[in-house]
């Protein structure tokens, strides 16, 4: 099936990163079924001819029926809980959805004879690194239940490889950002830096709170590696061709502090974007920056939008076109 048209089962395909990946899959002619519980998904984000099945990964019978009926050639698993802060107050839903829900899906895939699995993992599986940039060989010592739940599921994947011959690709995203023309960030409760900063520029919030200014970084605020959502999507397309399992970091390789992100957004939007210092957010590592050399070499990944101003410009274009998110349509 290498290089050919495939049937792809995409969990979380109505969400932010998943919907952009579905757009890319459709460009390559793949047949796509999206499985999403619509907690954070938007039906409008699933572009035709992809189809949407509403269902819950935590319900094995439901996911097993959906996978069994569709008989995919590959599963791409985006669905999951993904907020560091929330995981520090409610770890249960992280283990339930990210570990048990993911295992339900993996088991259903194997029972349907599908052995190709692409998983949205995270740089949060590493915890604060001893060296920057971070390659895939550094120890994984997560400092929040979110990162830990993603790490456990990576380990589940390794056992399914041994026991059932699953070929998996675990993609450890750094900070997904930016938008396609059709799809962008629209969550029930927004906690991510860039969309909140852009909300201030749109006049929907008064200021951006900076969570801590005493970290061991040059300007005291946390440093992250922002990677464009279309580039992330492209890595999944490459992963479909793989015949051996692997783990890959996906980041731009550039670190930006919270203050630097706000400054770039000021330039892109032409808005003053007032900022206020707030207490640090529990569970935040001071600095996360990728080395994505392995993804470039072994996956053949070529990020195209890896400059922060470009990333913020695309996010800003989407936000201006959808000031109330998908409800603006
Ligand atoms: N931040 C603020 N103010 C805000 C929001 C965020 O200062 O209002 C700071 C955070 O403290 C952090 C940085 O901006 O230092 C980025 O925060 P985000 O919430 O945008 O992203 P995170 O780094 O916390 O987490 C995101 C995803 C995770 C993923 C992680 C990888 O939510 O799923 O990136 O680093 F694992």
């Amino acid at each position: 099936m290498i290089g050919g048209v495939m049937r792809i089962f995409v969990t979380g395909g109505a969400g932010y990163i998943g919907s952009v990946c579905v757009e890319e899959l459709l460009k390559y002619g793949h047949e796509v079924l999206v499985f999403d519980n619509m907690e954070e998904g938007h039906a409008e984000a699933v572009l035709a001819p992809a189809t949407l099945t509403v269902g819950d990964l935590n319900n094995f019978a439901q996911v097993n029926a959906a996978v069994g009926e569709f008989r995919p050639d590959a599963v791409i698993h985006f669905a999951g809980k993904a907020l560091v802060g929330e995981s520090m107050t409610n770890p249960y839903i992280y283990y339930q959805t990210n570990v048990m829900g993911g295992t339900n899906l993996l088991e259903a895939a194997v029972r349907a004879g599908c052995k190709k699995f692409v998983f949205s993992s995270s740089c949060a599986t590493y915890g604060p690194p001893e060296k920057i940039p971070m390659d895939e060989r550094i120890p994984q010592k997560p400092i929040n239940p979110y990162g830990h739940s993603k790490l456990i599921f990576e380990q589940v994947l390794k056992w399914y490889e041994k026991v059932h011959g699953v070929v998996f690709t675990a993609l450890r995203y750094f900070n997904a950002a930016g938008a396609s023309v059709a799809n962008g960030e629209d969550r029930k409760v927004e906690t991510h830096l860039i969309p909140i900063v852009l909300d201030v520029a749109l006049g929907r919030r008064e200021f951006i709170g900076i969570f801590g200014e005493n970290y061991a970084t040059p300007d005291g605020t946390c440093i992250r590696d922002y990677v464009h959502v279309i580039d992330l999507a492209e890595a999944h397309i490459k992963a479909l061709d793989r015949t051996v399992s692997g783990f890959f970091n996906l980041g731009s390789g550039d670190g930006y502090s919270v203050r630097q992100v706000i400054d770039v957004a000021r330039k892109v939007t032409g808005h003053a974007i007032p900022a206020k210092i707030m207490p640090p957010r529990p569970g935040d590592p001071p600095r996360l920056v990728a080395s994505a050399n392995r993804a470039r070499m072994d996956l053949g990944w070529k990020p195209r939008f890896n400059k922060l101003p470009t990333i913020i410009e695309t996010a800003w274009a989407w936000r201006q076109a959808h000031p109330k998110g998908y409800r603006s349509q």
Side-chain angles (χ1 to χ4, degrees):
M1 194 56 69
I2 292 180
V5 171
M6 297 170 81
R7 293 167 67 78
I8 322 268
F9 190 92
V10 182
T11 71
Y16 168 48
I17 308 175
S19 64
V20 174
C21 186
V22 169
E23 285 182 53
E24 293 299 305
L25 290 167
L26 295 177
K27 282 183 198 156
Y28 286 83
H30 296 305
E31 199 176 319
V32 177
L33 183 136
V34 168
F35 185 86
D36 199 301
N37 68 0
M38 304 311 276
E39 200 176 292
E40 287 289 353
H42 304 274
E44 308 90 311
V46 180
L47 301 190
T51 53
L52 169 65
T53 295
V54 177
D56 189 349
L57 286 180
N58 292 316
N59 181 332
F60 178 73
Q62 231 174 50
V63 65
N64 192 47
V67 175
E69 203 175 300
F70 187 63
R71 296 264 147 196
D73 299 305
V75 169
I76 307 185
H77 178 35
F78 292 98
K81 294 282 179 188
L83 300 177
V84 169
E86 182 188 53
S87 80
M88 295 293 284
T89 56
N90 190 358
Y92 175 60
I93 53 173
Y94 280 76
Y95 294 106
Q96 185 184 48
T97 301
N98 295 358
V99 180
M100 258 335 286
T103 309
N104 284 340
L105 172 68
L106 190 51
E107 178 64 22
V110 166
R111 289 190 191 182
C114 171
K115 302 279 175 89
K116 191 162 273 199
F117 201 96
V118 184
F119 171 53
S120 303
S121 190
S122 171
C123 66
T125 58
Y126 294 114
E130 273 153 31
K131 68 176 184 64
I132 293 280
M134 301 155 68
D135 65 26
E136 292 80 356
R137 285 161 304 196
I138 64 173
Q140 288 178 292
K141 295 181 192 160
I143 59 162
N144 49 62
Y146 165 62
H148 186 222
S149 68
K150 290 280 182 183
L151 175 58
I152 295 174
F153 191 68
E154 287 191 353
Q155 292 164 346
V156 173
L157 283 170
K158 281 201 228 164
W159 282 111
Y160 269 71
E161 178 188 32
K162 279 201 176 69
V163 174
H164 290 299
V166 167
V167 174
F168 69 82
T169 305
L171 300 172
R172 295 177 184 149
Y173 311 156
F174 282 62
N175 286 55
S180 71
V181 172
N183 289 311
E185 288 178 87
D186 176 8
R187 302 185 180 87
K188 288 206 178 89
V189 179
E190 190 52 79
T191 64
H192 292 84
L193 179 63
I194 292 176
I196 294 182
V197 165
L198 296 183
D199 262 358
V200 180
L202 273 177
R204 294 172 60 83
R205 294 179 194 241
E206 282 181 13
F207 63 91
I208 173 74
I210 296 176
F211 296 150
E213 59 168 351
N214 293 314
Y215 287 98
T217 60
D219 70 15
T221 67
C222 286
I223 291 178
R224 294 288 181 274
D225 179 331
Y226 296 88
V227 52
H228 199 283
V229 64
I230 295 176
D231 287 331
L232 288 182
E234 217 40 60
H236 297 73
I237 308 288
K238 301 274 186 202
L240 292 175
D241 284 343
R242 285 181 62 80
T243 52
V244 289
S245 297
F247 299 91
F248 298 96
N249 288 346
L250 298 179
S252 67
D254 290 328
Y256 286 88
S257 72
V258 174
R259 285 192 211 276
Q260 286 174 318
V261 169
I262 298 169
D263 278 342
V264 171
R266 286 178 178 136
K267 289 198 183 83
V268 169
T269 63
H271 189 283
I273 310 184
K276 281 190 194 170
I277 305 300
M278 316 273 278
R281 187 170 68 178
D284 266 351
R287 189 193 285 249
L288 297 170
V289 181
S291 158
N293 286 343
R294 184 191 283 180
R296 288 170 191 268
M297 302 294 288
D298 294 357
L299 203 56
W301 185 54
K302 295 189 193 77
R304 288 180 296 152
F305 305 100
N306 56 359
K307 292 283 163 269
L308 188 63
T310 317
I311 291 173
I312 294 186
E313 276 162 24
T314 64
W316 180 231
W318 194 83
R319 285 299 285 162
Q320 283 182 300
H322 306 80
K324 294 183 182 156
Y326 288 92
R327 277 173 304 142
S328 319
Q329 286 179 344

